[in-house]
Amino acid sequence: MATPSELINQILLSGKRTKTKEEQDKIIQMLSALSVDYSSAEYPKMSASEFASGDAQKAALSPQEILKSYYGENLPREIIAAGNYNIARPTLLPKSYQNIFDTIPASKTTEYGSAYSPDNNGKPMVELSSGRGFQIDQKNNETYRKWLQGNDLELKAKALEYFQANSLDPLIAASNKQGALEHEVGHHITRVAPYADLPLAAKSSASIASDKFNKFGEHTSIGNETTQALGRFQREMFKNTGKRLHPVEFMAIVNKGEIPEFLTQEGRRILIYAKNLKEVADKSEDKNKKEKAKKALESISRMAPAVVQNKKQYGLNLPIG
């Protein structure tokens, strides 16, 4: 009898030979049949945009609904393509592709930051920072942006550390509530496989960091944060260009040091982190750090296809140190 992971992979593999949208829809129906609906009277079903902008304190959200707002009718095809790439190069747990069709509870918190975590019964839970908590996050981001543009070297260093640790672009405003909500829901569908056959960036960043790159990628280098950031980048790229990027295409953008103008703050994070890794790989005098940075960057580019133009120079060109 097949294990749940084997069954999911079998379904995805059977989709590899599909040619019509009807055939692809059938594959998606098979994956959807394995999903879990965590909604209840306490957590009524609602769209992410309705929950983020409305007064409701609790809701049940669908990752599929969020992805469909980017991929439209192409979502079945792209899930099958990403899932088959993942079988060949394990990056995510197979369950990630089933989880796309789950309905997961979300609540708003006024005191803390947004988060994705299971509750006491192991049920997935998303918390969206709202009210005071959200205002503090926005104010902190605004303050760091001012410090970075100021003349106080000590404050500039603290601000740079903040933007580097979180792989944020200081030239644009912080993520809004919906962006934060999609970030946390994204963790439900980008679960890193512990048996992944590639060196995750998370294993390298701590030993790559130097005084010049103090704390860079401290948050984004965590395995589940890396894949979540890649997923957000890929769906924003698809919505604006009509395709997800493969490793060579991903590295071409990193090597150019430019960010597509249409990317949001969340969509830029993986590029900013990758750019900082490239700086170490290209310029560090420490051979060990150069090699680790290179491997971490290769790792990220290989992960890219497993998760679902006007250009200006933005945060990728932020001078470091």
Side-chain angles (χ1 to χ4, degrees):
M1 184 175 179
T3 66
S5 291
E6 289 171 340
L7 178 58
I8 292 168
N9 283 344
Q10 287 172 9
I11 293 172
L12 289 166
L13 279 171
S14 66
K16 193 173 184 178
R17 296 179 292 275
T18 59
K19 296 181 180 179
T20 67
K21 186 176 185 304
E22 289 73 21
E23 291 174 324
Q24 292 168 353
D25 287 342
K26 288 181 180 179
I27 299 300
I28 295 307
Q29 289 171 7
M30 294 170 70
L31 283 176
S32 180
L34 303 176
S35 65
V36 181
D37 185 346
Y38 295 102
S39 63
S40 64
E42 185 180 8
Y43 293 94
K45 293 181 180 179
M46 192 177 300
S47 73
S49 59
E50 288 173 334
F51 183 60
S53 61
D55 296 328
Q57 296 300 302
K58 293 183 178 182
L61 308 174
S62 166
Q64 180 187 18
E65 175 260 332
I66 292 174
L67 291 183
K68 197 167 185 179
S69 68
Y70 293 88
Y71 290 104
E73 63 179 11
N74 297 298
L75 182 59
R77 181 193 69 193
E78 296 304 323
I79 291 174
I80 293 168
N84 275 276
Y85 181 92
N86 190 64
I87 293 170
R89 284 191 176 278
T91 298
L92 304 180
L93 288 172
K95 185 176 173 63
S96 297
Y97 300 97
Q98 168 196 316
N99 287 355
I100 290 172
F101 307 98
D102 287 350
T103 304
I104 60 176
S107 61
K108 290 176 180 171
T109 174
T110 58
E111 299 298 321
Y112 305 104
S114 300
Y116 168 80
S117 60
D119 65 12
N120 293 333
N121 297 315
K123 181 171 68 176
M125 172 62 70
V126 167
E127 287 189 306
L128 174 63
S129 180
S130 185
R132 180 174 177 271
F134 178 74
Q135 291 166 4
I136 290 173
D137 287 342
Q138 296 286 303
K139 184 63 177 178
N140 285 344
N141 184 276
E142 181 182 335
T143 298
Y144 285 126
R145 289 172 68 194
K146 289 180 179 177
W147 286 359
L148 195 61
Q149 296 166 7
N151 297 319
D152 188 311
L153 295 181
E154 184 176 347
L155 294 181
K156 285 174 72 77
K158 289 181 179 180
L160 182 59
E161 187 174 274
Y162 165 80
F163 287 109
Q164 292 283 41
N166 294 286
S167 303
L168 296 174
D169 188 336
L171 299 182
I172 63 174
S175 297
N176 58 23
K177 289 182 182 179
Q178 184 164 342
L181 182 62
E182 289 190 21
H183 176 116
E184 302 308 336
V185 173
H187 283 306
H188 190 65
I189 59 176
T190 54
R191 308 287 294 278
V192 175
Y195 48 81
D197 65 350
L198 35 130
L200 294 180
K203 298 177 181 178
S204 303
S205 283
S207 55
I208 293 171
S210 65
D211 291 339
K212 186 177 180 183
F213 293 90
N214 190 27
K215 291 192 175 182
F216 88 84
E218 186 175 65
H219 184 73
T220 317
S221 67
I222 300 170
N224 287 324
E225 295 294 343
T226 304
T227 53
Q228 188 287 137
L230 267 172
R232 180 59 182 259
F233 165 77
Q234 287 282 38
R235 59 182 181 262
E236 289 190 20
M237 287 297 297
F238 187 92
K239 184 174 183 177
N240 287 278
T241 68
K243 64 181 295 187
R244 291 182 307 116
L245 299 188
H246 283 260
V248 172
E249 297 163 320
F250 176 79
M251 285 306 303
I253 290 182
V254 174
N255 289 333
K256 285 182 179 178
E258 298 174 341
I259 295 183
E261 188 179 47
F262 53 74
L263 290 178
T264 67
Q265 184 70 275
E266 289 294 328
R268 296 166 188 240
R269 295 178 84 160
I270 197 65
L271 290 182
I272 293 171
Y273 177 51
K275 170 61 177 176
N276 288 340
L277 284 172
K278 186 176 184 300
E279 288 278 347
V280 177
D282 290 348
K283 299 179 180 179
S284 176
E285 296 179 359
D286 186 318
K287 291 183 178 180
N288 185 46
K289 287 181 179 179
K290 285 175 69 75
E291 186 62 25
K292 286 184 177 181
K294 182 180 177 181
K295 287 183 178 180
L297 192 54
E298 290 172 349
S299 160
I300 292 172
S301 67
R302 289 199 302 269
M303 289 181 191
V307 297
V308 200
Q309 129 169 233
N310 233 350
K311 293 183 179 179
K312 288 186 179 180
Q313 295 184 347
Y314 276 115
L316 288 181
N317 295 304
L318 175 68
I320 308 298

